[in-house]
Amino acid sequence: QVQLVESGGGLVQPGESLRLSCVASERVFGSDIMGWYRQAPGKERELVAHIGFGGATNYADSVRGRFTISTENGKNTVYLQMNSLKSEDTAVYYCNLKRILTNVNYWGQGTQVTVSS
């Protein structure tokens, strides 16, 4: 199975930035979809952003214009650049990989992002 390891979370003040990274233990194919989800206390896990076939991206309305998802050429890595962070962004952020060829989803263990003054 594919192992996903997230990093980059932490405690920041409102308006500051963080960059999350997710490294996959196996090769990421061009047909795969990689994304970021988040879950706040007492809430269900929700999509933040994903990047799919051909590099097409999709963002939740709450983060569009502030967050950017990207992959690094030749590496099994996906990033989430988070700017202008708000307290509402506080959550555990999870990396996700969907293998289109096998229709299997893989999840990381999550990284905590806390935005507080």
Side-chain angles (χ1 to χ4, degrees):
Q1 292 187 334
V2 178
Q3 182 179 358
L4 303 175
V5 180
E6 304 102 330
S7 62
L11 172 64
V12 297
Q13 297 185 39
E16 295 183 339
S17 299
L18 281 174
R19 189 193 192 200
L20 305 183
S21 299
C22 172
V23 180
S25 62
E26 304 292 337
R27 178 183 176 185
V28 177
F29 301 112
S31 60
D32 293 340
I33 298 175
M34 298 197 74
W36 290 93
Y37 293 72
R38 68 186 182 187
Q39 187 168 21
K43 304 292 185 179
E44 294 186 352
R45 190 173 300 184
E46 65 176 356
L47 172 70
V48 177
H50 64 69
I51 182 167
F53 186 77
T57 58
N58 185 265
Y59 297 91
D61 290 341
S62 59
V63 307
R64 187 175 292 109
R66 299 188 297 120
F67 291 9
T68 303
I69 187 170
S70 63
T71 57
E72 192 164 344
N73 188 35
K75 297 182 179 180
N76 304 328
T77 307
V78 63
Y79 303 97
L80 184 68
Q81 178 66 44
M82 305 184 294
N83 298 326
S84 302
L85 283 162
K86 306 174 181 179
S87 60
E88 302 94 285
D89 297 317
T90 297
V92 177
Y93 284 70
Y94 297 91
C95 181
N96 170 261
L97 167 65
K98 184 176 183 178
R99 292 281 201 201
I100 298 299
L101 294 178
T102 58
N103 197 33
V104 175
N105 273 290
Y106 301 92
W107 294 91
Q109 66 179 8
T111 184
Q112 177 71 47
V113 173
T114 302
V115 185
S116 177
S117 59

